Amino acid sequence: MSAPRSTRKDIDGWVILDKPVGMTSTHAVSRLKRIFNAKKAGHAGTLDPLASGILPVAFGEATKTVPFVQDGEKAYRFTVRFGAETDTDDSDGKIVAQSELRPERAEILARLPQFIGTIEQTPPAFSAIKINGERAYDLARDGETPQLVARPVTIHALDLVSADEDEAVFEARCGKGTYVRAIARDLGRLLGCFGHVTALRRTRVGPFTEADAIALSDLEESGVEAQAMRRVEAGLMELPRVIVDRDAAAKLRRGQSILLRGADAPMDGSAYAACGGVVIAVGAVEKGELVPGRVFNLPF
């Protein structure tokens, strides 16, 4: 007997989820796939269960734009509790170091410039970094100490929002691969008092902000799905757009490069092409040509 045919639908586009605290990113994607009855979906950047906020979820053809969203700037608002460091660098972990010292506001402000720019950052032991094919958090849960190497990350801004004796609230803008938990850990060590994250909210991922986000509870209400779904090219809004005719669109879909003309043609770098209001391909502009890297199977 043949297996029953799947009733899942081909759905293309983005949903910008406001992920609640306590849910993994993988579980959030599964919930959205069920709500939309979609065949294919994936997220653009993991959020820890402790964290809330922007989790962009791509469906169908939009999954081809995920790398461009992940490469975009991220923004976070987070709270650091001083006096203790944990093995996870957040409040879910076990305390591994403590101090009675507490930093003054001026001391905190004096240390923040050391985190601005391109810096070397060692990821938390409980992270998704792969070591010899295994996730660091799996090794850590098994009692091993993952041998993580410091790597360059870029932090564009790190601002102190408020502070009291035991806690401080910060806002950060950073590039791909930056761990906010590591910022809290390293700041606590610099201040000599230790520290860990107790609350974390992501407020931006690439082109998507809190204004774009929708709560899971709202999505579960009947009739909301259609309004929540954004077009595939929403994930490419930070790239230059090239408008092409149908002949050029056909060439791009066959994997062929097209010559760009006119003063408005983008310079070398990433760009995407659209025809009739539909994204056709995304690729690289090289010597006046758009070389397709990913082609989209979307109707005009």
Side-chain angles (χ1 to χ4, degrees):
M1 181 182 295
S2 60
R5 183 174 297 177
S6 173
T7 59
R8 298 274 185 174
K9 300 177 183 178
D10 287 312
I11 296 175
D12 306 304
W14 283 94
V15 172
I16 315 308
L17 178 67
D18 190 338
K19 189 190 82 66
V21 172
M23 179 179 288
T24 67
S25 297
T26 300
H27 185 200
V29 172
S30 296
R31 292 278 289 272
L32 262 63
K33 282 183 71 176
R34 188 160 58 248
I35 290 170
F36 287 87
N37 195 30
K39 286 184 179 179
K40 183 179 182 181
H43 63 74
T46 301
L47 264 184
D48 294 333
L50 173 75
S52 67
I54 306 298
L55 182 70
V57 178
F59 292 84
E61 291 292 284
T63 58
K64 296 175 181 178
T65 70
V66 164
F68 300 96
V69 175
Q70 288 180 321
D71 286 344
E73 186 178 284
K74 318 293 192 303
Y76 298 90
R77 185 182 181 95
F78 60 102
T79 302
V80 177
R81 178 175 288 275
F82 297 114
E85 182 175 312
T86 69
D87 57 358
T88 60
D89 299 317
D90 62 25
S91 55
D92 286 341
K94 298 178 182 178
I95 294 175
V96 294
Q98 289 181 280
S99 172
E100 296 298 323
L101 295 175
R102 295 295 183 271
E104 298 290 338
R105 182 184 180 90
E107 293 178 275
I108 298 172
L109 290 171
R111 293 295 189 180
L112 296 188
Q114 293 178 244
F115 292 87
I116 306 303
T118 299
I119 64 171
E120 292 291 315
Q121 184 187 73
T122 302
F126 284 79
S127 64
I129 303 295
K130 283 191 174 182
I131 302 173
N132 297 324
E134 293 190 74
R135 299 289 186 184
Y137 54 65
D138 288 329
L139 296 172
R141 285 168 185 158
D142 289 339
E144 298 183 39
T145 302
Q147 299 302 309
L148 292 161
V149 179
R151 57 184 187 168
V153 299
T154 301
I155 300 175
H156 304 290
L158 180 60
D159 299 313
L160 177 62
V161 177
S162 62
D164 58 28
E165 182 179 356
D166 294 315
E167 292 188 337
V169 178
F170 300 88
E171 288 182 345
R173 291 189 296 106
C174 52
K176 181 179 179 181
T178 305
Y179 281 89
V180 170
R181 286 181 290 139
I183 296 176
R185 177 200 66 206
D186 294 342
L187 177 61
R189 290 176 180 179
L190 278 173
L191 291 167
C193 63
F194 304 115
H196 64 275
V197 169
T198 59
L200 172 62
R201 180 168 178 79
R202 188 159 64 188
T203 58
R204 178 187 172 191
V205 179
F208 303 123
T209 68
E210 287 182 293
D212 303 311
I214 184 167
L216 185 61
S217 57
D218 291 337
L219 283 170
E220 291 174 331
E221 294 182 9
S222 179
V224 175
E225 302 98 320
Q227 295 97 328
M229 186 66 68
R230 294 172 176 268
R231 294 164 67 89
V232 170
E233 56 264 41
L236 301 171
M237 288 295 100
E238 293 188 328
L239 300 182
R241 182 180 65 173
V242 177
I243 303 299
V244 300
D245 59 25
R246 285 180 174 267
D247 289 340
K251 289 185 67 176
L252 288 169
R253 283 184 164 175
R254 291 195 296 268
Q256 298 174 310
S257 303
I258 61 169
L259 183 65
L260 302 179
R261 301 180 182 276
D264 295 332
M267 303 296 287
D268 289 0
S270 297
Y272 75 97
C275 179
V278 175
V279 62
I280 302 297
V282 61
V285 178
E286 300 175 359
K287 298 179 180 179
E289 289 188 331
L290 177 59
V291 182
R294 297 247 180 183
V295 176
F296 298 88
N297 183 28
L298 297 168
F300 285 112

